[in-house]
Amino acid sequence: MPEHARIRSLEEYHEAYRRSTETPEQFWAEVAEPFTWRRKWDSVMNSDMAAGHNDWFQGARLNITENCLDRHLSTRGNKLAIVYEPNDPHTRHLRLTYRELHQEVCRFANVLHNNGVEKGDRVCIYMPMIPQLAIAVLACARIGAIHSVIFAGFSANAIADRVNDAQATVVLTSDGLNRGAKQIPVKRVVDEALESCPSVRRVIVTEHLGWPVHMQEGRDVWYHEEAEGVAKTCPAEEMGAEDPLFILYTSGSTGKPKGVVHTTAGYMVWADYTFRNVFQIEENDIYWCTADIGWVTGHTYLLYGPLLAGATSLMFEGVPTYPSPGRFWEVIDKHSVTVFYTAPTAIRSLMAHDINHVLAYSLDSLRVLGSVGEPINEEAWHWYYTHIGKERCPIVDTWWQTETGGVMISALAGITPSVPARAGLPLPGVLPVLLNQDGSEIEGNDQEGYLAIKQSWPGIIRTTYGDHERARQTYFAPYPGYYFTGDGARRDENGLYRIIGRVDDVINVSGHRFGTAEIENAINQNSHVVESAVVGFPHDVKGQGIYAYVICPEGVPEAEVERQRIEASIIETIVAEIGRIAKPDKIQLVSGLPKTRSGKIMRRILRKVAEGDTTNLGDTTTLLDPLVVDEIISGRK
Ligand code: PRX
């Protein structure tokens, strides 16, 4: 494992941190040195935070797949790059060495070329968690096409929004996918989406379930037919450091999801550096990140980070509870997993089952545990630490975001402090600050405020696709000179950060981000709906649940069956507009919403009611119709 820029002790962490903040350009130039560059950079960092312009390694030329694959062939050609564990434990797993993965990526890259994909083209990928997904992503990067992976749980409408926003010309998909006991006809969802996507001229379909699918003449082709006789070598396209590598859509507090853009060199350096240091990766590790490649965690810590480091990354197609709640632990024993990275929601859902599902496995191979996506509550932390890590594995609670490219605040396993309910200390290169509402910095420890970042880092979001002003407004304008995270945080008495949660209208359901406006827009498509307001509420397993207040045109129906019929219809609309993952936990039909005289919905009141805390609703005198609050309280779900 590359020892380069590797932090091995607390002293080394402090030293690296000091250098990364005092002389960041020198620090990152040293970290970047050993990668494969076709040409080195002219300057390391060019940052104008107020404008949201951040360039890293300007002038450098490279291809990230040469760094993920070619670079390792002489020393790790026969090492496993990807271990694939299928949904069904009785189906055969698959292993790909670095050499095999290199060949498969080249082959897919040639297929893309043969289908007219060129550097800079946008390719949307809607595929199951199978090796072909990893191969497809890397094949895009190989030829300089910009990949945009869409989580394969999103609906046809959600796919169409993303494909159209990116103006993608090609879509990569499969015939179907397995998710636990369910099988989903993925290609059919894509077909429906593409009815409203005029930019797409080619769909390349990977056979996975062997299902018959409709192939549209002139548009759709099978991958296995296209790949026949195609060369297993493909020269890597030479990219500029700031050429976009991928777009990944994520929800914000306003409007439709934004296409977060990451570029090539900075993202690469950040992914590799954070991966090796946070998890303290060793050459023989079998590393397993349970995230789907459809989310940023899958991009950085299932795919790019591990491959850049030359590690072995396990890819799991299934779900934690199929065929039993012992599935994760079974996989860990089966493949001797040493580093395990998952989400608090998965831990909480498994905690709820009989502990014998855990005790049936040894879990002896484990060395490091990770958590990501939402705050991990103390109870889940202790369960994870005691029952999974057997009190010998450090837990890294990694705080970061789609926009940050990689981990920002976290323990480095076994090196910096790992305390329950604390993400911990910032990584080298990360300068977190707590801000007051007026944008002034809050000094000292034992303080709480808005979390912002003061200095550019290599993985920082570059823009939102096709609309830089949106990126500037969202992240850089709220507090000029800082990147604004949208999270609130506390710096404890020892300077460790504790993430409190979103301070904007974003809710985090099982580690997935949704804008309340995004869900409201979906609900409002339903003909039974006049207006809606969505808030989050604490949920034992999901972290936050979705609570929707909905006004119907004829008021609240008297009959329970009628109310149920409307609620079911609203759920159907949300599933069609966004996907099953955005299904509200509770829908309350109401005759009005608490609004101020100027027409603004008082979400604070709705949140309180959803939380079940109706004793102290604060000042309601400014409401247009205070009686509406009583009705909402009495009809609370
Ligand atoms: O609120 C924070 C929460 O998830 C948000 C970022 O979501 P997303 O872009 O989907 O990325 C998730 C995976 C990196 C953050 O603004 N969040 C993420 N990790 C943590 C967290 N909250 C607390 N602790 C964490 N470890």
Short mmCIF file of all heavy atoms in Angstrom, two decimals, residues 585-621:
data_model
loop_
_atom_site.label_atom_id
_atom_site.label_comp_id
_atom_site.label_asym_id
_atom_site.label_seq_id
_atom_site.Cartn_x
_atom_site.Cartn_y
_atom_site.Cartn_z
N ASP A 585 -43.71 8.76 5.47
CA ASP A 585 -44.10 7.83 6.52
C ASP A 585 -45.49 8.15 7.00
O ASP A 585 -46.24 7.29 7.42
CB ASP A 585 -43.11 7.96 7.69
CG ASP A 585 -41.72 7.58 7.24
OD1 ASP A 585 -41.41 6.40 7.29
OD2 ASP A 585 -40.98 8.48 6.79
N LYS A 586 -45.83 9.44 6.95
CA LYS A 586 -47.14 9.86 7.43
C LYS A 586 -47.70 10.93 6.50
O LYS A 586 -46.98 11.86 6.11
CB LYS A 586 -47.03 10.43 8.83
CG LYS A 586 -46.62 9.38 9.84
CD LYS A 586 -46.46 9.93 11.22
CE LYS A 586 -45.97 8.84 12.17
NZ LYS A 586 -45.85 9.30 13.53
N ILE A 587 -48.97 10.79 6.18
CA ILE A 587 -49.65 11.83 5.40
C ILE A 587 -50.86 12.27 6.23
O ILE A 587 -51.66 11.43 6.65
CB ILE A 587 -50.13 11.29 4.04
CG1 ILE A 587 -48.94 10.83 3.20
CG2 ILE A 587 -50.92 12.35 3.29
CD1 ILE A 587 -49.31 10.23 1.86
N GLN A 588 -50.96 13.55 6.47
CA GLN A 588 -52.13 14.05 7.19
C GLN A 588 -52.89 15.00 6.28
O GLN A 588 -52.34 16.00 5.81
CB GLN A 588 -51.67 14.76 8.47
CG GLN A 588 -52.84 15.24 9.32
CD GLN A 588 -52.39 15.94 10.60
OE1 GLN A 588 -51.23 15.86 11.01
NE2 GLN A 588 -53.32 16.64 11.21
N LEU A 589 -54.16 14.68 6.04
CA LEU A 589 -54.99 15.58 5.23
C LEU A 589 -55.50 16.68 6.16
O LEU A 589 -55.97 16.40 7.26
CB LEU A 589 -56.14 14.81 4.60
CG LEU A 589 -55.74 13.58 3.76
CD1 LEU A 589 -56.97 12.95 3.10
CD2 LEU A 589 -54.71 13.94 2.70
N VAL A 590 -55.37 17.89 5.72
CA VAL A 590 -55.74 19.04 6.58
C VAL A 590 -56.58 20.03 5.76
O VAL A 590 -56.53 20.01 4.52
CB VAL A 590 -54.47 19.77 7.11
CG1 VAL A 590 -53.68 18.89 8.06
CG2 VAL A 590 -53.57 20.24 5.97
N SER A 591 -57.31 20.89 6.45
CA SER A 591 -58.10 21.87 5.69
C SER A 591 -57.32 23.16 5.47
O SER A 591 -57.68 23.99 4.65
CB SER A 591 -59.43 22.14 6.37
OG SER A 591 -59.18 22.69 7.64
N GLY A 592 -56.24 23.34 6.21
CA GLY A 592 -55.42 24.54 6.00
C GLY A 592 -54.05 24.33 6.60
O GLY A 592 -53.81 23.37 7.35
N LEU A 593 -53.12 25.21 6.27
CA LEU A 593 -51.76 25.14 6.82
C LEU A 593 -51.51 26.41 7.63
O LEU A 593 -52.06 27.46 7.31
CB LEU A 593 -50.74 25.05 5.67
CG LEU A 593 -50.75 23.75 4.88
CD1 LEU A 593 -49.95 23.89 3.59
CD2 LEU A 593 -50.18 22.61 5.72
N PRO A 594 -50.70 26.29 8.69
CA PRO A 594 -50.43 27.49 9.49
C PRO A 594 -49.57 28.48 8.70
O PRO A 594 -48.40 28.22 8.44
CB PRO A 594 -49.66 26.94 10.70
CG PRO A 594 -49.09 25.64 10.25
CD PRO A 594 -49.97 25.11 9.17
N LYS A 595 -50.20 29.59 8.31
CA LYS A 595 -49.47 30.58 7.51
C LYS A 595 -49.45 31.92 8.20
O LYS A 595 -50.40 32.27 8.90
CB LYS A 595 -50.15 30.75 6.16
CG LYS A 595 -49.95 29.56 5.24
CD LYS A 595 -50.49 29.87 3.87
CE LYS A 595 -50.27 28.67 2.96
NZ LYS A 595 -50.93 28.82 1.69
N THR A 596 -48.40 32.65 7.95
CA THR A 596 -48.34 34.02 8.46
C THR A 596 -49.24 34.88 7.57
O THR A 596 -49.66 34.45 6.50
CB THR A 596 -46.91 34.59 8.39
OG1 THR A 596 -46.53 34.57 7.01
CG2 THR A 596 -45.93 33.77 9.18
N ARG A 597 -49.47 36.11 8.02
CA ARG A 597 -50.32 36.99 7.22
C ARG A 597 -49.72 37.25 5.84
O ARG A 597 -50.42 37.56 4.89
CB ARG A 597 -50.54 38.32 7.96
CG ARG A 597 -51.64 38.19 8.98
CD ARG A 597 -51.70 39.40 9.87
NE ARG A 597 -51.67 38.99 11.27
CZ ARG A 597 -52.74 38.62 11.96
NH1 ARG A 597 -53.92 38.63 11.43
NH2 ARG A 597 -52.62 38.23 13.22
N SER A 598 -48.40 37.12 5.74
CA SER A 598 -47.78 37.33 4.42
C SER A 598 -47.78 36.03 3.59
O SER A 598 -47.20 35.99 2.50
CB SER A 598 -46.36 37.85 4.59
OG SER A 598 -45.62 36.94 5.37
N GLY A 599 -48.40 34.98 4.14
CA GLY A 599 -48.58 33.76 3.33
C GLY A 599 -47.47 32.74 3.48
O GLY A 599 -47.44 31.74 2.77
N LYS A 600 -46.56 32.96 4.41
CA LYS A 600 -45.44 32.03 4.57
C LYS A 600 -45.86 30.89 5.52
O LYS A 600 -46.41 31.16 6.59
CB LYS A 600 -44.26 32.81 5.17
CG LYS A 600 -42.95 32.13 5.05
CD LYS A 600 -41.86 33.14 5.41
CE LYS A 600 -40.52 32.55 5.59
NZ LYS A 600 -40.25 31.50 6.46
N ILE A 601 -45.60 29.66 5.10
CA ILE A 601 -45.95 28.52 5.97
C ILE A 601 -45.01 28.50 7.17
O ILE A 601 -43.79 28.59 7.01
CB ILE A 601 -45.82 27.18 5.21
CG1 ILE A 601 -46.80 27.15 4.04
CG2 ILE A 601 -46.04 26.00 6.13
CD1 ILE A 601 -46.64 25.95 3.13
N MET A 602 -45.58 28.38 8.37
CA MET A 602 -44.71 28.30 9.56
C MET A 602 -44.33 26.84 9.81
O MET A 602 -45.00 26.11 10.51
CB MET A 602 -45.41 28.92 10.76
CG MET A 602 -45.50 30.43 10.60
SD MET A 602 -46.06 31.28 12.05
CE MET A 602 -44.60 31.29 13.07
N ARG A 603 -43.23 26.48 9.20
CA ARG A 603 -42.80 25.08 9.25
C ARG A 603 -42.40 24.65 10.65
O ARG A 603 -42.47 23.47 10.98
CB ARG A 603 -41.60 24.89 8.32
CG ARG A 603 -42.01 24.91 6.89
CD ARG A 603 -40.83 24.90 5.95
NE ARG A 603 -41.38 25.05 4.62
CZ ARG A 603 -41.84 24.03 3.91
NH1 ARG A 603 -41.77 22.80 4.36
NH2 ARG A 603 -42.36 24.23 2.73
N ARG A 604 -41.97 25.63 11.44
CA ARG A 604 -41.57 25.33 12.81
C ARG A 604 -42.72 24.63 13.54
O ARG A 604 -42.53 23.63 14.24
CB ARG A 604 -41.21 26.65 13.50
CG ARG A 604 -40.80 26.56 14.92
CD ARG A 604 -40.38 27.95 15.43
NE ARG A 604 -41.40 28.99 15.20
CZ ARG A 604 -42.49 29.16 15.95
NH1 ARG A 604 -42.71 28.38 16.98
NH2 ARG A 604 -43.35 30.13 15.68
N ILE A 605 -43.93 25.13 13.32
CA ILE A 605 -45.10 24.55 13.98
C ILE A 605 -45.36 23.14 13.42
O ILE A 605 -45.60 22.19 14.18
CB ILE A 605 -46.34 25.46 13.76
CG1 ILE A 605 -46.11 26.78 14.48
CG2 ILE A 605 -47.61 24.76 14.20
CD1 ILE A 605 -47.22 27.79 14.29
N LEU A 606 -45.25 23.01 12.12
CA LEU A 606 -45.50 21.70 11.51
C LEU A 606 -44.48 20.67 11.98
O LEU A 606 -44.80 19.51 12.20
CB LEU A 606 -45.46 21.83 9.98
CG LEU A 606 -46.56 22.69 9.38
CD1 LEU A 606 -46.38 22.83 7.87
CD2 LEU A 606 -47.95 22.12 9.69
N ARG A 607 -43.24 21.12 12.14
CA ARG A 607 -42.20 20.22 12.62
C ARG A 607 -42.50 19.75 14.04
O ARG A 607 -42.39 18.57 14.36
CB ARG A 607 -40.84 20.93 12.59
CG ARG A 607 -40.03 20.56 11.36
CD ARG A 607 -38.64 21.18 11.39
NE ARG A 607 -38.48 21.99 10.21
CZ ARG A 607 -38.24 23.28 10.19
NH1 ARG A 607 -38.10 23.95 11.33
NH2 ARG A 607 -38.13 23.94 9.06
N LYS A 608 -42.89 20.70 14.87
CA LYS A 608 -43.20 20.38 16.28
C LYS A 608 -44.33 19.36 16.34
O LYS A 608 -44.25 18.38 17.11
CB LYS A 608 -43.65 21.66 17.01
CG LYS A 608 -42.49 22.56 17.37
CD LYS A 608 -42.15 22.35 18.82
CE LYS A 608 -41.09 23.34 19.23
NZ LYS A 608 -40.52 22.96 20.51
N VAL A 609 -45.37 19.58 15.57
CA VAL A 609 -46.51 18.66 15.59
C VAL A 609 -46.06 17.28 15.10
O VAL A 609 -46.38 16.26 15.70
CB VAL A 609 -47.69 19.20 14.74
CG1 VAL A 609 -48.82 18.17 14.69
CG2 VAL A 609 -48.19 20.53 15.28
N ALA A 610 -45.27 17.26 14.04
CA ALA A 610 -44.80 15.98 13.49
C ALA A 610 -43.95 15.24 14.53
O ALA A 610 -44.00 14.02 14.64
CB ALA A 610 -43.99 16.22 12.22
N GLU A 611 -43.19 16.01 15.31
CA GLU A 611 -42.35 15.40 16.36
C GLU A 611 -43.18 14.92 17.55
O GLU A 611 -42.69 14.22 18.42
CB GLU A 611 -41.35 16.44 16.90
CG GLU A 611 -40.14 16.64 16.05
CD GLU A 611 -39.38 17.91 16.44
OE1 GLU A 611 -39.54 18.40 17.58
OE2 GLU A 611 -38.63 18.42 15.58
N GLY A 612 -44.42 15.38 17.61
CA GLY A 612 -45.28 15.01 18.72
C GLY A 612 -45.10 15.93 19.91
O GLY A 612 -45.53 15.65 21.02
N ASP A 613 -44.45 17.04 19.70
CA ASP A 613 -44.22 18.00 20.78
C ASP A 613 -45.15 19.20 20.57
O ASP A 613 -44.80 20.17 19.91
CB ASP A 613 -42.75 18.43 20.74
CG ASP A 613 -42.44 19.52 21.75
OD1 ASP A 613 -43.31 19.81 22.60
OD2 ASP A 613 -41.34 20.10 21.67
N THR A 614 -46.33 19.10 21.16
CA THR A 614 -47.31 20.17 20.91
C THR A 614 -47.49 21.07 22.12
O THR A 614 -48.37 21.92 22.15
CB THR A 614 -48.67 19.55 20.52
OG1 THR A 614 -49.04 18.62 21.53
CG2 THR A 614 -48.60 18.85 19.18
N THR A 615 -46.62 20.86 23.12
CA THR A 615 -46.81 21.66 24.34
C THR A 615 -46.33 23.08 24.17
O THR A 615 -46.90 24.01 24.72
CB THR A 615 -46.03 21.03 25.51
OG1 THR A 615 -44.71 20.75 25.03
CG2 THR A 615 -46.69 19.76 26.01
N ASN A 616 -45.28 23.26 23.40
CA ASN A 616 -44.72 24.60 23.29
C ASN A 616 -44.54 24.97 21.82
O ASN A 616 -43.46 24.81 21.24
CB ASN A 616 -43.37 24.62 24.03
CG ASN A 616 -42.71 25.97 23.94
OD1 ASN A 616 -43.40 26.97 23.65
ND2 ASN A 616 -41.41 26.02 24.15
N LEU A 617 -45.59 25.47 21.24
CA LEU A 617 -45.53 25.78 19.81
C LEU A 617 -45.02 27.19 19.53
O LEU A 617 -44.96 27.63 18.40
CB LEU A 617 -46.91 25.60 19.18
CG LEU A 617 -47.39 24.15 19.10
CD1 LEU A 617 -48.77 24.07 18.49
CD2 LEU A 617 -46.42 23.29 18.31
N GLY A 618 -44.67 27.88 20.58
CA GLY A 618 -44.15 29.24 20.39
C GLY A 618 -45.28 30.20 20.04
O GLY A 618 -46.46 29.90 20.23
N ASP A 619 -44.89 31.32 19.51
CA ASP A 619 -45.85 32.38 19.22
C ASP A 619 -46.66 32.04 17.97
O ASP A 619 -46.12 31.88 16.89
CB ASP A 619 -45.05 33.68 19.00
CG ASP A 619 -45.98 34.84 18.76
OD1 ASP A 619 -47.20 34.69 19.00
OD2 ASP A 619 -45.49 35.90 18.33
N THR A 620 -47.97 31.91 18.15
CA THR A 620 -48.81 31.62 16.98
C THR A 620 -49.73 32.81 16.66
O THR A 620 -50.61 32.71 15.81
CB THR A 620 -49.69 30.36 17.21
OG1 THR A 620 -50.42 30.55 18.42
CG2 THR A 620 -48.86 29.10 17.31
N THR A 621 -49.49 33.92 17.31
CA THR A 621 -50.39 35.06 17.14
C THR A 621 -50.28 35.71 15.76
O THR A 621 -51.20 36.38 15.31
CB THR A 621 -50.13 36.14 18.20
OG1 THR A 621 -48.73 36.45 18.15
CG2 THR A 621 -50.52 35.69 19.59
#
